[in-house]
Amino acid sequence: MLHQPLLYCSKIATQSTLFAPVFSAGNNAGPCFFAGNSSFRHVRSLRFMKQASGSKSNSEHGVFSETMDRARLNTNNAYGGRAPEGLLEEESSKVIESRASWKTFPGQTSPLGVSEVDNGINFAIFSQHATAVTLCLVLLERGSIDTLDDGMIEMVLDPDLNKTGDIWHICIQDLPRSNVLYGYRIDGPRDWGEGHRFDSSIVLVDPYAKLVEGRRYFGDISMKMSKFLGTYDFDSLPFDWGENYKLPNISEKDLVIYEMNVRAFTIDESSGLNSNIRGSYLGVIEKIPHLLELGINAVELLPVFEFDELEFQRRPNSRDHMINTWGYSTINFFAPMSRYASAGGGSVNASREFKQMVKAFHSAGIEVILDVVYNHTNEADDAYPYTTSFRGVDNKVYYMLDYNGQLLNFSGCGNTLNCNHPVVMELILDSLRHWVTEYHVDGFRFDLASVLCRGIDGSPLNAPPLLRAIAKDAVLSRCKIIAEPWDCGGLYLVGSFPNWDRWAEWNGKYRDDVRKFIKGDSGVKGSFATRVSGSSDLYRVNNRRPYHSINFVIAHDGFTLCDLVSYNFKHNEANGEGGNDGSNDNFSWNCGFEGETDDASIRALRSRQMKNFHLALMISQGTPMMLMGDEYGHTRNGNNNSYGHDTSINNFLWDQLDARKSGHFRFFSKVIKYRHAHEVFSHENFLSKNDITWHEDNWDNHDSKFLAFTLHDRSGGDIYLAFNAHDYFVKVLLPTPPKQRKWFRVVDTNLKSQDDFVLDGVPSIGNTYNIAPYSSILLEAKF
């Protein structure tokens, strides 16, 4: 029996419409047609012949004959440029000649995605419930991503020949080793009540695509309806990590994490960078000296997996004026965000430049932690679906569903990834391993990680298979793994996240308790003491350590540090959601006036409070994390949910940093470096009575807002700390310093810059210290 996989060549897609959405009234896997008034060529006859046995060695050469009309090609390229018409015509004929015949084989089931094998390029995709799979290819001319060949070629896979179990596969000989875009049309049952969402009119991104192409420039409104397709590159040489390259391998207890967004870090003109690299991976490299000056040794990058920043603008809605600048809306879990490449360089350049960035970080002794979103995807809900991949590949497998086949929503984004399904679990593990082996990242922070603790029906699991697999995986064994231990379904697991003694957690209770105490709330002194001493109430179990508490006062999804001391209420009017978005429980205090003010006393108090927060964070046992921009006092004008703002509301403003280098930034940097230099702040184990002395006999006083304690150093260099959250001075009797030593003042947040931090310390402190309202001090015992 002769098998003849059907191939179609679409009307040629113009460069401006190739990535436009595909709309079709029909549900068959027939020819693909794109909208547009482009010139086109038809495949008159295209036939691949394979023997029924499916033997690779017995497959015959296919007959590939093509008759073309000679209409002039449309010359608008895919990303708005224009190529010489004559060159396009000349090169198109050469491309046709170069693929005079193809040879295909049944292919192999692994690895999933695209791989280069001995006899060609292999494609493999999982779909348990699909009844028909069509591989769609777009060949690009002569290595140029901006010049298209003759449109989309479609190959219908034969389930008898190209399917093994639940894997569909095919191998194509003579297919170029790069500059090929590909996707799949997949059909299957249409019963939504059974959880299926198949739609063969849509060309889908391969869940295992290692690179994804779409629009080239971030926020390009003219391309807001872009289509995304997978691609591959087997032509480029392996990345050169260098002979002397090594991983930083920083101990968890010694980390100081800086949460940042790749684009927002350098996109502002005040960065002083060339426009081609602003907002890119390469732009980040240029600013590593700033991070070294600040003193951090790990960056936590907001999502860098491929996402569609213009997803809000695909239909009329209250947020259709916004651009998703944070990236918590993943299209693909393997591909670096292509629009973070320099100069619109595309996916292949994005991959290489991401590696350059990681290499540069590592050379500077800075680790790279990725914020990863495995709890949901960009594909939204059933009311307004945005089908790009998983939903159309096999919705019933990839997403959690109720008993009526409807999407469960524990992410707050319309869908929930079915993380503990064996197939999805392996996808997540493969993705994580890929980022470690291919890109050398050092760890991961898992967004809404409580979703990863739910079974396929959404119910919480005591020992989630995925979390255990991540904790025990050999490839991931060197990585930091950090959970955001809650989700939007109410599964709050701070201190009780399944951990296998490996998982660290964003400590939301640390954030809340420290905010409350520093702003002067009553009745929280004991909680504040527990948090700065390592949160032993949460993490002192089994073999967990203080550094499993990721301490933070500020993170991306909330007020900045400046806004925390400037606003009592969120101001999210610009988001277009009537102020219903963002948390209402911010535990903030505006210091006497809502928003910006010229009042000198209020501004001084706000400055003091920001220093108090930073000092508390950096002297706490556990792993401190700060937010990009807090080192100069960045404000979002009270917006505590600014994910959709690709503007200065999120951008790092380098001119403001320069204006505050001698003051605010200096203090932040000095305190971070002081932490690194003193091990009393980063104990391996929880504090014992030999490590700390509490100078407190007022624990039960609900109105007490003062806390003092001494951290004991084995060499005698004890450190005394006191925090006064009262609105009046507190005069304290200092403890006796160790033998032959005296107290030197290193920090007093009430003092002006230069005096607020003195590394060598100011002597002649005496036996008492009068601590100002809303201020804190640090004294060091010196000879």
Side-chain angles (χ1 to χ4, degrees):
M1 181 178 176
L2 191 65
H3 289 270
Q4 299 178 359
L6 301 176
L7 282 82
Y8 301 90
C9 182
S10 74
K11 178 188 293 186
I12 183 168
T14 69
Q15 287 86 338
S16 61
T17 60
L18 174 66
F19 297 105
V22 182
F23 297 103
S24 172
N27 293 320
N28 57 47
C32 163
F33 292 96
F34 286 95
N37 297 318
S38 56
S39 303
F40 63 92
R41 297 165 288 178
H42 289 293
V43 172
R44 303 298 188 195
S45 153
L46 188 55
R47 185 178 182 187
F48 277 71
M49 303 170 65
K50 300 184 179 72
Q51 294 195 358
S53 67
S55 167
K56 296 180 181 179
S57 59
N58 292 332
S59 293
E60 299 180 2
H61 282 85
V63 179
F64 189 166
S65 63
E66 192 164 358
T67 305
M68 301 167 48
D69 69 28
R70 294 300 177 182
R72 175 166 292 180
L73 290 171
N74 184 302
T75 57
N76 290 324
N77 68 40
Y79 310 103
R82 185 174 179 85
E85 296 180 4
L87 180 61
L88 283 175
E89 290 182 324
E90 177 186 355
E91 291 186 350
S92 64
S93 62
K94 292 180 180 178
V95 171
I96 296 304
E97 292 169 4
S98 71
R99 38 183 190 88
S101 65
W102 275 356
K103 185 177 183 180
T104 66
F105 304 91
Q108 59 191 45
T109 59
S110 66
L112 291 173
V114 179
S115 56
E116 187 173 39
V117 295
D118 290 341
N119 55 350
I121 305 298
N122 191 79
F123 297 82
I125 188 170
F126 164 89
S127 183
Q128 178 182 345
H129 298 101
T131 57
V133 174
T134 300
L135 174 64
C136 304
L137 303 171
V138 177
L139 308 185
L140 306 175
E141 290 187 359
R142 298 176 66 87
S144 171
I145 201 80
D146 291 332
T147 310
L148 300 180
D149 187 15
D150 57 328
M152 185 169 283
I153 298 168
E154 302 197 353
M155 179 180 292
V156 179
L157 304 190
D158 184 339
D160 295 326
L161 188 67
N162 302 110
K163 184 172 185 277
T164 304
D166 296 326
I167 309 298
W168 299 74
H169 46 81
I170 190 170
C171 180
I172 305 175
Q173 193 172 0
D174 301 321
L175 197 63
R177 301 175 72 240
S178 62
N179 297 309
V180 176
L181 305 180
Y182 79 101
Y184 292 93
R185 295 186 187 279
I186 299 181
D187 209 349
R190 301 300 178 95
D191 187 350
W192 278 39
E194 291 297 318
H196 301 300
R197 304 293 189 271
F198 290 105
D199 184 347
S200 60
S201 71
I202 301 173
V203 180
L204 303 166
V205 176
D206 176 6
Y208 272 79
K210 302 306 185 294
L211 301 171
V212 173
E213 276 287 346
R215 72 181 70 85
R216 283 298 183 90
Y217 293 96
F218 193 95
D220 181 358
I221 302 299
S222 69
M223 299 291 290
K224 69 180 180 181
M225 302 301 285
S226 294
K227 179 69 180 174
F228 293 85
L229 295 172
T231 188
Y232 58 83
D233 175 28
F234 299 117
D235 279 326
S236 296
L237 294 174
F239 183 77
D240 181 10
W241 291 96
E243 290 185 11
N244 299 320
Y245 168 81
K246 63 179 182 179
L247 300 169
N249 285 325
I250 300 169
S251 170
E252 286 182 88
K253 74 180 185 66
D254 296 323
L255 287 178
V256 176
I257 301 173
Y258 184 85
E259 190 187 28
M260 60 175 286
N261 176 275
V262 167
R263 175 174 167 79
F265 193 49
T266 66
I267 191 61
D268 195 79
E269 289 185 7
S270 63
S271 67
L273 301 181
N274 183 285
S275 60
N276 285 332
I277 67 170
R278 290 206 308 265
S280 72
Y281 302 122
L282 295 187
V284 171
I285 294 175
E286 296 298 314
K287 295 301 184 178
I288 288 178
H290 164 71
L291 300 177
L292 291 174
E293 185 180 3
L294 180 59
I296 60 92
N297 58 12
V299 292
E300 184 176 297
L301 304 180
L302 267 62
V304 293
F305 296 1
E306 186 72 28
F307 66 93
D308 182 2
E309 72 279 11
L310 296 179
E311 62 182 358
F312 301 142
Q313 303 192 22
R314 300 180 66 84
R315 63 176 179 84
N317 66 91
S318 62
R319 295 185 293 176
D320 59 12
H321 61 293
M322 300 175 75
I323 294 176
N324 185 343
T325 190
W326 286 1
Y328 290 87
S329 195
T330 309
I331 286 177
N332 175 276
F333 296 112
F334 293 86
M337 176 57 171
S338 60
R339 284 167 301 291
Y340 288 169
S342 62
S347 60
V348 174
N349 285 323
S351 175
R352 183 181 66 255
E353 292 172 7
F354 186 94
K355 294 172 185 176
Q356 290 176 252
M357 179 187 68
V358 172
K359 181 179 178 180
F361 271 131
H362 286 175
S363 296
I366 296 174
E367 292 198 338
V368 178
I369 298 169
L370 302 186
D371 192 337
V372 291
V373 188
Y374 293 111
N375 61 82
H376 75 284
T377 74
N378 68 295
E379 294 187 302
D381 55 17
D382 284 333
Y384 298 103
Y386 178 21
T387 304
T388 56
S389 183
F390 308 95
R391 178 183 171 94
V393 171
D394 204 327
N395 186 78
K396 192 169 183 177
V397 168
Y398 283 110
Y399 293 112
M400 292 184 193
L401 306 172
D402 65 17
Y403 293 109
N404 296 313
Q406 303 305 302
L407 292 167
L408 293 172
N409 181 17
F410 298 112
S411 68
C413 298
N415 64 70
T416 309
L417 207 64
N418 198 6
C419 300
N420 284 294
H421 185 288
V423 170
V424 184
M425 183 172 77
E426 196 59 35
L427 170 85
I428 293 172
L429 288 167
D430 286 342
S431 166
L432 293 169
R433 295 174 190 131
H434 178 69
W435 287 96
V436 172
T437 57
E438 183 71 16
Y439 293 102
H440 293 199
V441 303
D442 304 288
F444 305 92
R445 176 267 188 188
F446 293 78
D447 182 66
L448 296 183
S450 288
V451 165
L452 281 59
C453 300
R454 296 182 181 272
I456 59 175
D457 62 351
S459 59
L461 304 174
N462 291 326
L466 174 60
L467 298 188
R468 184 186 188 280
I470 292 172
K472 301 293 184 181
D473 190 85
V475 174
L476 306 178
S477 61
R478 72 168 183 84
C479 294
K480 282 74 177 176
I481 48 175
I482 303 168
E484 182 184 35
W486 52 80
D487 65 17
C488 293
L491 190 56
Y492 189 79
L493 296 174
V494 173
S496 59
F497 191 82
N499 58 80
W500 287 271
D501 296 328
R502 278 213 57 208
W503 283 85
E505 302 174 17
W506 267 28
N507 188 345
K509 292 184 179 180
Y510 178 96
R511 173 199 59 208
D512 296 346
D513 289 342
V514 171
R515 286 186 178 191
K516 291 176 185 177
F517 179 81
I518 294 295
K519 80 183 184 73
D521 282 4
S522 299
V524 293
K525 179 171 67 174
S527 298
F528 177 71
T530 300
R531 299 299 157 238
V532 298
S533 60
S535 295
S536 60
D537 62 325
L538 300 175
Y539 301 110
R540 195 169 196 163
V541 58
N542 298 328
N543 290 317
R544 302 196 87 180
R545 299 285 190 265
Y547 52 73
H548 287 128
S549 171
I550 305 299
N551 300 329
F552 66 104
V553 177
I554 301 298
H556 65 275
D557 51 354
F559 281 150
T560 66
L561 185 58
C562 182
D563 288 350
L564 185 68
V565 300
S566 303
Y567 294 92
N568 286 348
F569 309 100
K570 65 185 182 184
H571 294 268
N572 295 355
E573 292 81 9
N575 297 355
E577 299 181 64
N580 294 316
D581 60 323
S583 174
N584 293 319
D585 301 318
N586 298 292
F587 307 114
S588 60
W589 177 43
N590 63 20
C591 297
F593 184 86
E594 188 75 357
E596 295 294 317
T597 179
D598 293 327
D599 187 298
S601 62
I602 292 177
R603 292 167 65 93
L605 175 57
R606 289 175 177 176
S607 174
R608 194 156 71 245
Q609 286 289 75
M610 286 191 280
K611 290 189 287 186
N612 291 334
F613 278 120
H614 185 64
L615 180 66
L617 178 65
M618 291 301 157
I619 60 87
S620 295
Q621 303 298 316
T623 302
M625 183 192 75
M626 64 176 293
L627 177 66
M628 174 187 88
D630 283 346
E631 68 267 37
Y632 70 82
H634 180 70
T635 178
R636 294 176 183 152
N637 304 318
N639 192 314
N640 73 349
N641 194 33
S642 60
Y643 63 93
H645 293 271
D646 185 44
T647 64
S648 61
I649 196 173
N650 280 313
N651 294 346
F652 194 102
L653 303 178
W654 293 90
D655 50 354
Q656 292 191 20
L657 170 70
D658 292 339
R660 300 179 187 182
K661 276 261 183 163
S662 62
H664 187 94
F665 174 83
R666 175 187 177 276
F667 182 87
F668 273 54
S669 174
K670 294 290 187 183
V671 172
I672 293 172
K673 292 173 182 176
Y674 191 83
R675 175 186 174 88
H676 287 311
H678 294 79
E679 293 186 357
V680 295
F681 303 127
S682 54
H683 280 262
E684 178 79 20
N685 298 303
F686 288 97
L687 299 179
S688 69
K689 62 181 180 181
N690 296 321
D691 298 317
I692 189 169
T693 297
W694 299 101
H695 306 297
E696 183 60 58
D697 56 7
N698 220 4
W699 290 111
D700 297 328
N701 185 345
H702 181 80
D703 296 323
S704 176
K705 305 174 185 179
F706 180 88
L707 182 69
F709 55 94
T710 297
L711 295 172
H712 300 297
D713 181 74
R714 278 173 284 182
S715 64
D718 289 2
I719 292 175
Y720 173 89
L721 288 140
F723 293 84
N724 180 18
H726 287 290
D727 58 1
Y728 53 81
F729 278 86
V730 174
K731 188 173 184 178
V732 295
L733 178 66
L734 299 177
T736 302
K739 189 177 181 180
Q740 297 183 339
R741 295 183 185 242
K742 294 183 178 181
W743 291 118
F744 284 66
R745 188 196 76 227
V746 177
V747 173
D748 186 337
T749 60
N750 184 54
L751 302 178
K752 294 183 178 180
S753 184
Q754 304 297 316
D755 292 326
D756 55 3
F757 184 99
V758 180
L759 180 59
D760 293 333
V762 176
S764 303
I765 296 299
N767 297 324
T768 61
Y769 200 104
N770 204 19
I771 304 176
Y774 299 111
S775 67
S776 48
I777 66 169
L778 183 154
L779 311 179
E780 182 178 349
K782 292 174 174 282
F783 288 111

